[in-house]
Amino acid sequence: MARIIGGIGSSHVPTIAVAYDKGKQNDPAWAPLFDGYKPVAAWLAEKQADVLVFFYNDHCTTFFFDMYPTFALGVGERFPIADEGAGLRNLPAIRGNVDFQAHMAECLVNDEFDITVFQDKPIDHGCASPLPLLWPHQPDWPGSVVPIAINVLQYPLPTARRCYRLGQAVRRAVESYPEDLKVVVVGTGGLSHQIHGERTGFNNTEWDLEFLRLLEEDPEALMRMTHADYVRLGGAESVEQIMWLAMRGALGSGPVRKLHQNYYLATTTAMTVVLYEEGAPVAAQPGQAATAAA
């Protein structure tokens, strides 16, 4: 039986991809970001994860406002990585697992999620920006990706609770798949940021850290929040945080254990990565930080 072995929350800032492609991993301005992903990449390598389920949003690369689905799942052997204006990236196309993806699509529909299914469509920075920081890619990715796009652009958006329930449905789909696959769920986007209007450049570190605490300890509080609450606290684009709740929902209703957290605010949004496993949290020793933070 397939099983979920952990969850990752990650920013998907497009400039991460540009910096990565230009080899800026050791640049003083970028090293705190890239170093923050190394423990997560090491954990994935140690666990030998077979599949990453990516909850992300498409930034009008594949979908547009004339037809933007609430939830869309990719089914295909390969997905090209989109050229978003900086040129084609020197990365292999993202691998798929058609049998597993098709199983998930059928399960989600039977679980009363009316999923749009797409094939052969490019994947943009919502998924492709953090992916090479998590997995090696030469000569190819070590496993497959299930891309699940969530509408956080065109209102009406799905609620935070609906995203959490999507994660729960994904868990049921994973656990009903007969092959022994190790699956990691990834929620991307945010945290606080706004890139247009009067509050352009807005950030709220206090809220970012509180969101991360609630995500770990009290996701129900985040599910009660409206989109307006997220926008007020974190800026217009921070509504992307509801995609992290899909990841959290897939981790089950019990407690989770945070293994690593890195928070680095250098540009328009905090570049954040956090890693969870299921299980009771481990208490920090006196004088020892519970998480890593840049």
Short mmCIF file of all heavy atoms in Angstrom, two decimals, residues 99-150:
data_model
loop_
_atom_site.label_atom_id
_atom_site.label_comp_id
_atom_site.label_asym_id
_atom_site.label_seq_id
_atom_site.Cartn_x
_atom_site.Cartn_y
_atom_site.Cartn_z
N ASP A 99 -0.34 5.74 -13.85
CA ASP A 99 -1.22 4.86 -13.10
C ASP A 99 -1.61 5.48 -11.76
O ASP A 99 -2.78 5.46 -11.36
CB ASP A 99 -0.55 3.50 -12.87
CG ASP A 99 -0.45 2.67 -14.14
OD1 ASP A 99 -1.17 2.98 -15.11
OD2 ASP A 99 0.36 1.72 -14.16
N PHE A 100 -0.61 6.02 -11.07
CA PHE A 100 -0.88 6.62 -9.76
C PHE A 100 -1.71 7.90 -9.90
O PHE A 100 -2.65 8.13 -9.13
CB PHE A 100 0.45 6.91 -9.06
CG PHE A 100 0.30 7.42 -7.65
CD1 PHE A 100 -0.32 6.66 -6.67
CD2 PHE A 100 0.81 8.66 -7.29
CE1 PHE A 100 -0.45 7.12 -5.37
CE2 PHE A 100 0.69 9.14 -5.99
CZ PHE A 100 0.06 8.37 -5.03
N GLN A 101 -1.38 8.73 -10.88
CA GLN A 101 -2.13 9.97 -11.09
C GLN A 101 -3.57 9.68 -11.48
O GLN A 101 -4.50 10.34 -10.98
CB GLN A 101 -1.44 10.80 -12.18
CG GLN A 101 -0.08 11.34 -11.78
CD GLN A 101 0.74 11.75 -12.99
OE1 GLN A 101 0.55 11.24 -14.10
NE2 GLN A 101 1.68 12.67 -12.79
N ALA A 102 -3.78 8.71 -12.36
CA ALA A 102 -5.14 8.37 -12.78
C ALA A 102 -5.94 7.80 -11.61
O ALA A 102 -7.14 8.10 -11.45
CB ALA A 102 -5.09 7.37 -13.94
N HIS A 103 -5.29 7.00 -10.79
CA HIS A 103 -5.94 6.48 -9.58
C HIS A 103 -6.37 7.62 -8.68
O HIS A 103 -7.49 7.63 -8.16
CB HIS A 103 -4.98 5.54 -8.85
CG HIS A 103 -5.43 5.17 -7.47
ND1 HIS A 103 -6.33 4.15 -7.23
CD2 HIS A 103 -5.11 5.69 -6.25
CE1 HIS A 103 -6.55 4.06 -5.93
NE2 HIS A 103 -5.82 4.97 -5.31
N MET A 104 -5.49 8.60 -8.51
CA MET A 104 -5.83 9.71 -7.63
C MET A 104 -6.98 10.53 -8.21
O MET A 104 -7.90 10.94 -7.47
CB MET A 104 -4.60 10.60 -7.40
CG MET A 104 -4.87 11.71 -6.41
SD MET A 104 -3.37 12.51 -5.83
CE MET A 104 -2.62 11.17 -4.91
N ALA A 105 -6.96 10.76 -9.52
CA ALA A 105 -8.06 11.51 -10.14
C ALA A 105 -9.39 10.81 -9.92
O ALA A 105 -10.39 11.43 -9.55
CB ALA A 105 -7.78 11.69 -11.63
N GLU A 106 -9.42 9.49 -10.13
CA GLU A 106 -10.66 8.75 -9.96
C GLU A 106 -11.11 8.77 -8.51
O GLU A 106 -12.30 8.96 -8.21
CB GLU A 106 -10.47 7.30 -10.43
CG GLU A 106 -11.74 6.47 -10.34
CD GLU A 106 -11.58 5.09 -10.96
OE1 GLU A 106 -10.47 4.75 -11.38
OE2 GLU A 106 -12.59 4.37 -11.02
N CYS A 107 -10.17 8.60 -7.59
CA CYS A 107 -10.52 8.61 -6.17
C CYS A 107 -11.07 9.97 -5.74
O CYS A 107 -12.05 10.04 -4.98
CB CYS A 107 -9.31 8.25 -5.33
SG CYS A 107 -8.85 6.51 -5.39
N LEU A 108 -10.46 11.05 -6.21
CA LEU A 108 -10.91 12.37 -5.81
C LEU A 108 -12.31 12.66 -6.33
O LEU A 108 -13.14 13.25 -5.64
CB LEU A 108 -9.92 13.44 -6.28
CG LEU A 108 -8.56 13.44 -5.58
CD1 LEU A 108 -7.64 14.48 -6.19
CD2 LEU A 108 -8.71 13.69 -4.08
N VAL A 109 -12.59 12.25 -7.57
CA VAL A 109 -13.93 12.45 -8.10
C VAL A 109 -14.94 11.62 -7.31
O VAL A 109 -16.03 12.10 -6.96
CB VAL A 109 -13.96 12.10 -9.60
CG1 VAL A 109 -15.40 12.06 -10.11
CG2 VAL A 109 -13.16 13.11 -10.40
N ASN A 110 -14.59 10.38 -7.00
CA ASN A 110 -15.49 9.55 -6.20
C ASN A 110 -15.64 10.07 -4.78
O ASN A 110 -16.62 9.75 -4.09
CB ASN A 110 -14.98 8.10 -6.17
CG ASN A 110 -15.15 7.41 -7.51
OD1 ASN A 110 -16.01 7.77 -8.31
ND2 ASN A 110 -14.32 6.41 -7.77
N ASP A 111 -14.68 10.89 -4.34
CA ASP A 111 -14.74 11.52 -3.02
C ASP A 111 -15.40 12.89 -3.09
O ASP A 111 -15.28 13.70 -2.17
CB ASP A 111 -13.32 11.63 -2.44
CG ASP A 111 -13.28 11.41 -0.94
OD1 ASP A 111 -14.35 11.33 -0.31
OD2 ASP A 111 -12.17 11.32 -0.38
N GLU A 112 -16.07 13.16 -4.22
CA GLU A 112 -16.87 14.36 -4.44
C GLU A 112 -16.05 15.63 -4.62
O GLU A 112 -16.51 16.74 -4.33
CB GLU A 112 -17.93 14.53 -3.33
CG GLU A 112 -18.89 13.34 -3.27
CD GLU A 112 -19.99 13.51 -2.25
OE1 GLU A 112 -19.94 14.48 -1.45
OE2 GLU A 112 -20.92 12.69 -2.26
N PHE A 113 -14.82 15.49 -5.13
CA PHE A 113 -14.05 16.63 -5.62
C PHE A 113 -14.09 16.59 -7.14
O PHE A 113 -13.59 15.65 -7.76
CB PHE A 113 -12.59 16.58 -5.12
CG PHE A 113 -12.42 17.10 -3.73
CD1 PHE A 113 -12.58 16.26 -2.64
CD2 PHE A 113 -12.11 18.44 -3.51
CE1 PHE A 113 -12.43 16.74 -1.35
CE2 PHE A 113 -11.96 18.92 -2.22
CZ PHE A 113 -12.12 18.07 -1.13
N ASP A 114 -14.71 17.60 -7.74
CA ASP A 114 -14.85 17.63 -9.19
C ASP A 114 -13.57 18.18 -9.81
O ASP A 114 -13.46 19.36 -10.15
CB ASP A 114 -16.07 18.47 -9.58
CG ASP A 114 -17.36 17.87 -9.02
OD1 ASP A 114 -17.48 16.64 -9.05
OD2 ASP A 114 -18.23 18.63 -8.56
N ILE A 115 -12.63 17.29 -9.98
CA ILE A 115 -11.28 17.64 -10.41
C ILE A 115 -11.22 17.83 -11.92
O ILE A 115 -11.73 17.02 -12.69
CB ILE A 115 -10.29 16.53 -9.98
CG1 ILE A 115 -10.11 16.52 -8.47
CG2 ILE A 115 -8.95 16.65 -10.69
CD1 ILE A 115 -9.25 17.64 -7.94
N THR A 116 -10.58 18.91 -12.36
CA THR A 116 -10.18 19.05 -13.75
C THR A 116 -8.90 18.25 -13.96
O THR A 116 -8.01 18.26 -13.11
CB THR A 116 -9.92 20.53 -14.09
OG1 THR A 116 -11.14 21.26 -13.95
CG2 THR A 116 -9.40 20.68 -15.51
N VAL A 117 -8.80 17.54 -15.06
CA VAL A 117 -7.61 16.76 -15.39
C VAL A 117 -6.93 17.40 -16.60
O VAL A 117 -7.59 17.71 -17.59
CB VAL A 117 -7.96 15.29 -15.69
CG1 VAL A 117 -6.72 14.52 -16.15
CG2 VAL A 117 -8.54 14.62 -14.44
N PHE A 118 -5.61 17.63 -16.50
CA PHE A 118 -4.88 18.19 -17.63
C PHE A 118 -3.72 17.29 -18.00
O PHE A 118 -3.21 16.52 -17.17
CB PHE A 118 -4.39 19.61 -17.34
CG PHE A 118 -3.36 19.74 -16.25
CD1 PHE A 118 -2.00 19.67 -16.54
CD2 PHE A 118 -3.73 19.96 -14.93
CE1 PHE A 118 -1.04 19.80 -15.54
CE2 PHE A 118 -2.79 20.10 -13.92
CZ PHE A 118 -1.44 20.02 -14.23
N GLN A 119 -3.32 17.37 -19.27
CA GLN A 119 -2.20 16.59 -19.78
C GLN A 119 -1.29 17.49 -20.62
O GLN A 119 -1.75 18.45 -21.23
CB GLN A 119 -2.70 15.43 -20.66
CG GLN A 119 -3.62 14.46 -19.96
CD GLN A 119 -4.13 13.36 -20.89
OE1 GLN A 119 -3.57 13.13 -21.96
NE2 GLN A 119 -5.20 12.70 -20.48
N ASP A 120 0.00 17.15 -20.63
CA ASP A 120 0.96 17.79 -21.54
C ASP A 120 1.01 19.30 -21.40
O ASP A 120 1.31 20.00 -22.36
CB ASP A 120 0.65 17.42 -23.00
CG ASP A 120 0.62 15.92 -23.23
OD1 ASP A 120 1.46 15.22 -22.65
OD2 ASP A 120 -0.25 15.45 -23.98
N LYS A 121 0.73 19.81 -20.23
CA LYS A 121 0.75 21.25 -20.02
C LYS A 121 2.01 21.64 -19.25
O LYS A 121 2.50 20.89 -18.40
CB LYS A 121 -0.49 21.70 -19.23
CG LYS A 121 -1.81 21.43 -19.93
CD LYS A 121 -1.94 22.22 -21.23
CE LYS A 121 -3.31 22.03 -21.85
NZ LYS A 121 -3.42 22.74 -23.14
N PRO A 122 2.55 22.82 -19.53
CA PRO A 122 3.76 23.25 -18.81
C PRO A 122 3.47 23.56 -17.35
O PRO A 122 2.38 24.01 -16.99
CB PRO A 122 4.20 24.50 -19.57
CG PRO A 122 2.96 25.00 -20.23
CD PRO A 122 2.14 23.80 -20.56
N ILE A 123 4.46 23.29 -16.51
CA ILE A 123 4.38 23.56 -15.07
C ILE A 123 5.28 24.76 -14.77
O ILE A 123 6.45 24.78 -15.13
CB ILE A 123 4.85 22.34 -14.25
CG1 ILE A 123 4.02 21.09 -14.60
CG2 ILE A 123 4.79 22.64 -12.77
CD1 ILE A 123 2.59 21.14 -14.18
N ASP A 124 4.73 25.76 -14.09
CA ASP A 124 5.51 26.97 -13.85
C ASP A 124 6.16 26.95 -12.48
O ASP A 124 6.27 25.90 -11.84
CB ASP A 124 4.65 28.23 -14.10
CG ASP A 124 3.57 28.46 -13.04
OD1 ASP A 124 3.59 27.80 -11.98
OD2 ASP A 124 2.71 29.34 -13.27
N HIS A 125 6.60 28.13 -12.01
CA HIS A 125 7.40 28.19 -10.80
C HIS A 125 6.64 27.76 -9.55
O HIS A 125 7.26 27.51 -8.51
CB HIS A 125 7.99 29.59 -10.61
CG HIS A 125 6.99 30.64 -10.20
ND1 HIS A 125 6.30 31.41 -11.10
CD2 HIS A 125 6.58 31.06 -8.96
CE1 HIS A 125 5.51 32.25 -10.46
NE2 HIS A 125 5.66 32.06 -9.16
N GLY A 126 5.32 27.68 -9.63
CA GLY A 126 4.56 27.20 -8.48
C GLY A 126 5.04 25.85 -7.99
O GLY A 126 5.00 25.55 -6.81
N CYS A 127 5.50 25.03 -8.93
CA CYS A 127 6.07 23.72 -8.60
C CYS A 127 7.55 23.68 -8.93
O CYS A 127 8.36 23.16 -8.16
CB CYS A 127 5.32 22.63 -9.37
SG CYS A 127 6.04 20.98 -9.28
N ALA A 128 7.92 24.23 -10.09
CA ALA A 128 9.27 24.07 -10.61
C ALA A 128 10.32 24.91 -9.89
O ALA A 128 11.51 24.63 -9.99
CB ALA A 128 9.30 24.40 -12.11
N SER A 129 9.90 25.94 -9.16
CA SER A 129 10.88 26.75 -8.44
C SER A 129 11.52 26.00 -7.27
O SER A 129 12.75 25.92 -7.18
CB SER A 129 10.22 28.05 -7.96
OG SER A 129 11.06 28.79 -7.11
N PRO A 130 10.75 25.40 -6.37
CA PRO A 130 11.39 24.67 -5.26
C PRO A 130 11.84 23.26 -5.62
O PRO A 130 12.66 22.69 -4.89
CB PRO A 130 10.29 24.63 -4.20
CG PRO A 130 9.01 24.70 -4.95
CD PRO A 130 9.30 25.55 -6.16
N LEU A 131 11.35 22.68 -6.71
CA LEU A 131 11.60 21.26 -6.98
C LEU A 131 13.09 20.91 -7.03
O LEU A 131 13.51 19.93 -6.38
CB LEU A 131 10.90 20.84 -8.27
CG LEU A 131 11.00 19.36 -8.63
CD1 LEU A 131 10.45 18.47 -7.52
CD2 LEU A 131 10.28 19.09 -9.96
N PRO A 132 13.96 21.65 -7.75
CA PRO A 132 15.38 21.25 -7.77
C PRO A 132 16.12 21.51 -6.46
O PRO A 132 17.24 21.03 -6.29
CB PRO A 132 15.96 22.11 -8.90
CG PRO A 132 15.05 23.27 -9.02
CD PRO A 132 13.68 22.76 -8.68
N LEU A 133 15.50 22.23 -5.53
CA LEU A 133 16.08 22.40 -4.21
C LEU A 133 15.75 21.20 -3.31
O LEU A 133 16.40 21.00 -2.27
CB LEU A 133 15.59 23.68 -3.55
CG LEU A 133 16.24 25.00 -3.97
CD1 LEU A 133 15.97 25.31 -5.45
CD2 LEU A 133 15.74 26.15 -3.10
N LEU A 134 14.76 20.42 -3.74
CA LEU A 134 14.34 19.26 -2.96
C LEU A 134 14.90 17.96 -3.51
O LEU A 134 15.27 17.07 -2.76
CB LEU A 134 12.80 19.18 -2.95
CG LEU A 134 12.06 20.39 -2.37
CD1 LEU A 134 10.56 20.23 -2.58
CD2 LEU A 134 12.38 20.57 -0.90
N TRP A 135 14.97 17.86 -4.84
CA TRP A 135 15.38 16.64 -5.51
C TRP A 135 16.53 16.91 -6.47
O TRP A 135 16.51 17.94 -7.17
CB TRP A 135 14.22 16.06 -6.30
CG TRP A 135 13.48 14.95 -5.63
CD1 TRP A 135 13.79 14.33 -4.46
CD2 TRP A 135 12.29 14.32 -6.13
NE1 TRP A 135 12.86 13.34 -4.20
CE2 TRP A 135 11.94 13.32 -5.20
CE3 TRP A 135 11.50 14.49 -7.27
CZ2 TRP A 135 10.82 12.49 -5.37
CZ3 TRP A 135 10.39 13.68 -7.43
CH2 TRP A 135 10.06 12.69 -6.50
N PRO A 136 17.51 16.02 -6.58
CA PRO A 136 18.51 16.13 -7.65
C PRO A 136 17.84 15.88 -9.00
O PRO A 136 16.75 15.30 -9.06
CB PRO A 136 19.52 15.03 -7.29
CG PRO A 136 18.72 14.02 -6.53
CD PRO A 136 17.70 14.80 -5.75
N HIS A 137 18.48 16.29 -10.07
CA HIS A 137 17.82 16.17 -11.38
C HIS A 137 18.76 15.72 -12.50
O HIS A 137 18.39 15.80 -13.68
CB HIS A 137 17.19 17.51 -11.76
CG HIS A 137 18.18 18.64 -11.85
ND1 HIS A 137 18.52 19.40 -10.74
CD2 HIS A 137 18.90 19.13 -12.88
CE1 HIS A 137 19.39 20.31 -11.12
NE2 HIS A 137 19.65 20.17 -12.39
N GLN A 138 19.95 15.27 -12.18
CA GLN A 138 20.88 14.82 -13.21
C GLN A 138 21.14 13.33 -13.06
O GLN A 138 21.56 12.90 -11.97
CB GLN A 138 22.20 15.61 -13.13
CG GLN A 138 22.04 17.08 -13.45
CD GLN A 138 23.34 17.84 -13.26
OE1 GLN A 138 24.29 17.35 -12.64
NE2 GLN A 138 23.40 19.06 -13.78
N PRO A 139 20.89 12.50 -14.07
CA PRO A 139 20.37 12.88 -15.38
C PRO A 139 18.86 13.05 -15.40
O PRO A 139 18.29 13.53 -16.39
CB PRO A 139 20.78 11.70 -16.26
CG PRO A 139 20.73 10.53 -15.32
CD PRO A 139 21.21 11.07 -14.00
N ASP A 140 18.18 12.69 -14.30
CA ASP A 140 16.73 12.79 -14.26
C ASP A 140 16.30 12.89 -12.80
O ASP A 140 17.08 12.65 -11.88
CB ASP A 140 16.09 11.56 -14.93
CG ASP A 140 14.66 11.82 -15.40
OD1 ASP A 140 14.13 12.92 -15.14
OD2 ASP A 140 14.06 10.92 -16.03
N TRP A 141 15.03 13.23 -12.60
CA TRP A 141 14.47 13.29 -11.25
C TRP A 141 14.40 11.88 -10.67
O TRP A 141 14.15 10.91 -11.40
CB TRP A 141 13.07 13.89 -11.30
CG TRP A 141 13.00 15.22 -11.97
CD1 TRP A 141 12.53 15.47 -13.23
CD2 TRP A 141 13.43 16.48 -11.44
NE1 TRP A 141 12.63 16.82 -13.53
CE2 TRP A 141 13.18 17.46 -12.44
CE3 TRP A 141 13.99 16.88 -10.22
CZ2 TRP A 141 13.48 18.81 -12.25
CZ3 TRP A 141 14.28 18.22 -10.03
CH2 TRP A 141 14.03 19.16 -11.02
N PRO A 142 14.58 11.72 -9.37
CA PRO A 142 14.59 10.38 -8.77
C PRO A 142 13.21 9.77 -8.61
O PRO A 142 13.10 8.58 -8.30
CB PRO A 142 15.23 10.61 -7.40
CG PRO A 142 14.91 12.03 -7.07
CD PRO A 142 14.95 12.76 -8.38
N GLY A 143 12.16 10.54 -8.79
CA GLY A 143 10.81 10.03 -8.64
C GLY A 143 9.83 10.83 -9.46
O GLY A 143 10.21 11.66 -10.30
N SER A 144 8.56 10.60 -9.23
CA SER A 144 7.51 11.26 -10.00
C SER A 144 6.80 12.31 -9.17
O SER A 144 6.88 12.33 -7.94
CB SER A 144 6.51 10.22 -10.52
OG SER A 144 5.88 9.55 -9.45
N VAL A 145 6.09 13.18 -9.87
CA VAL A 145 5.34 14.28 -9.25
C VAL A 145 3.87 14.15 -9.64
O VAL A 145 3.55 13.83 -10.79
CB VAL A 145 5.90 15.64 -9.71
CG1 VAL A 145 4.98 16.78 -9.29
CG2 VAL A 145 7.30 15.86 -9.14
N VAL A 146 3.00 14.39 -8.68
CA VAL A 146 1.58 14.55 -8.96
C VAL A 146 1.27 16.04 -8.79
O VAL A 146 1.21 16.53 -7.66
CB VAL A 146 0.69 13.72 -8.01
CG1 VAL A 146 -0.78 13.92 -8.35
CG2 VAL A 146 1.06 12.24 -8.09
N PRO A 147 1.10 16.78 -9.88
CA PRO A 147 0.82 18.22 -9.76
C PRO A 147 -0.68 18.46 -9.55
O PRO A 147 -1.51 18.02 -10.35
CB PRO A 147 1.28 18.78 -11.11
CG PRO A 147 1.16 17.65 -12.08
CD PRO A 147 1.30 16.37 -11.28
N ILE A 148 -1.01 19.14 -8.46
CA ILE A 148 -2.40 19.50 -8.19
C ILE A 148 -2.47 21.02 -8.04
O ILE A 148 -1.98 21.59 -7.06
CB ILE A 148 -2.94 18.82 -6.92
CG1 ILE A 148 -2.84 17.29 -7.05
CG2 ILE A 148 -4.39 19.24 -6.66
CD1 ILE A 148 -3.34 16.53 -5.83
N ALA A 149 -3.03 21.66 -9.05
CA ALA A 149 -3.11 23.12 -9.07
C ALA A 149 -4.38 23.57 -8.36
O ALA A 149 -5.47 23.00 -8.55
CB ALA A 149 -3.11 23.63 -10.51
N ILE A 150 -4.24 24.59 -7.53
CA ILE A 150 -5.35 25.15 -6.75
C ILE A 150 -5.52 26.61 -7.16
O ILE A 150 -4.55 27.36 -7.25
CB ILE A 150 -5.08 25.03 -5.25
CG1 ILE A 150 -4.99 23.55 -4.84
CG2 ILE A 150 -6.17 25.74 -4.44
CD1 ILE A 150 -4.65 23.33 -3.37
#
